[in-house]
Amino acid sequence: MAVEHQLVAAEPGGPRIGAFFDVDNTIIRGASAFHLAVGLYRRGFFRKRDILEFAVHQLRYRAFGENKHQIDELRSRALAIMTGHSVAEVTAVAEDVYDEVLCLRIYPGTQALLDAHVAAGHEVWLVTATPVEIGDLLARRLGVTGALGTVAEHEDGYYTGRLVGDMLHGTAKAAAVRTLAERHGIDLAQSYAYGDSTNDVAILSEVGHPCAINPDRRLRHHAAEVGWPVREFRGGHRRATANRHAVNAAGLAGLAWALGVVIRMVRRSVRNRLR
């Protein structure tokens, strides 16, 4: 059962209030990086085996939630793939992917919550492990203040395959939010944060108004222990629990779709060779 809480409007001359949102499975259903990977694959950025590995990661994420080892592995592969490509072309692909896929996967409940924070005069920030360029794109499209994301190093507009600092995940998210709050004069005690995973506990613990959205099992348990509110935008906790197998089936459907993309590409390649 979702627990409602009233937003406190920012007052002119008063302390600034922030609202910090995780992205994957909090705002967007599933892993946004997977859909970006498919978009990049279709434009020839990497091999068929890479999209298969991304698809398997998407399936695991949908079925079991985040896993640090998988995230580190995905990060290394993504950095290798992006090496030598320009920031401009990756951002252009991300724009297309948002229009084609991501805009259709936004939870209406989270969108309404984002809009409510904006209307209340809050600074609304996305805090995501994806590259900051992608976070900035999502922030622009969603009409919020900005984004904090993983900074992939680039020289003369081209990715080097290295990170600036560490991946923005777990405790790194919390540190980034503290730094941002100090720089912008945001009162964290009056601020809000939203996340879906146990890895978001660090950022949720930084604010006076934490809230779990579509939480995984461990975050749901933690939220119950400490008294954090929970919001379900997947159709309600009872329905989400009863339909656990349906969620796994949706992940399998996503994997099947990705496999279908690869198979069609292979068939087209074979046909071209035979001509």
Side-chain angles (χ1 to χ4, degrees), residues 136-188:
D136 287 339
L137 162 65
L138 292 172
R140 290 196 306 273
R141 293 302 192 94
L142 292 169
V144 301
T145 309
L148 300 174
T150 298
V151 179
E153 182 185 74
H154 49 84
E155 295 177 356
D156 300 323
Y158 290 84
Y159 291 108
T160 66
R162 298 184 295 270
L163 291 182
V164 177
D166 200 2
M167 188 174 183
L168 201 66
H169 188 259
T171 56
K173 280 187 177 182
V177 165
R178 288 194 299 271
T179 300
L180 177 76
E182 184 176 351
R183 187 166 66 243
H184 286 244
I186 295 173
D187 184 353
L188 289 179

Side-chain angles (χ1 to χ4, degrees), residues 1-187:
M1 177 178 174
V3 179
E4 301 295 331
H5 60 271
Q6 194 70 29
L7 300 184
V8 177
E11 297 181 2
R16 292 184 176 181
I17 298 175
F20 304 96
F21 286 78
D22 171 57
V23 172
D24 291 346
N25 232 30
T26 301
I27 296 175
I28 293 172
R29 178 164 50 91
S32 55
F34 168 73
H35 301 290
L36 177 61
V38 172
L40 293 172
Y41 169 75
R42 285 176 165 169
R43 291 158 179 82
F45 274 57
F46 48 91
R47 301 166 299 172
K48 297 175 181 66
R49 63 177 287 186
D50 294 314
I51 193 62
L52 289 174
E53 291 182 9
F54 276 113
V56 170
H57 171 78
Q58 166 77 345
L59 174 60
R60 288 174 179 169
Y61 179 80
R62 291 294 304 279
F64 306 111
E66 292 179 326
N67 175 284
K68 187 179 186 302
H69 173 72
Q70 293 170 9
I71 290 170
D72 289 342
E73 185 180 347
L74 188 65
R75 173 191 64 182
S76 298
R77 177 56 59 90
L79 286 171
I81 288 170
M82 303 316 299
T83 302
H85 289 287
S86 73
V87 175
E89 64 179 323
V90 172
T91 302
V93 172
E95 293 269 5
D96 291 342
V97 170
Y98 182 90
D99 291 336
E100 295 167 3
V101 181
L102 296 183
C103 66
L104 304 176
R105 302 179 72 85
I106 296 171
Y107 290 110
T110 311
Q111 178 70 75
L113 194 53
L114 287 162
D115 295 341
H117 277 289
V118 171
H122 300 165
E123 289 198 15
V124 181
W125 292 85
L126 310 185
V127 188
T128 176
T130 59
V132 67
E133 294 87 358
I134 309 306
D136 287 339
L137 162 65
L138 292 172
R140 290 196 306 273
R141 293 302 192 94
L142 292 169
V144 301
T145 309
L148 300 174
T150 298
V151 179
E153 182 185 74
H154 49 84
E155 295 177 356
D156 300 323
Y158 290 84
Y159 291 108
T160 66
R162 298 184 295 270
L163 291 182
V164 177
D166 200 2
M167 188 174 183
L168 201 66
H169 188 259
T171 56
K173 280 187 177 182
V177 165
R178 288 194 299 271
T179 300
L180 177 76
E182 184 176 351
R183 187 166 66 243
H184 286 244
I186 295 173
D187 184 353

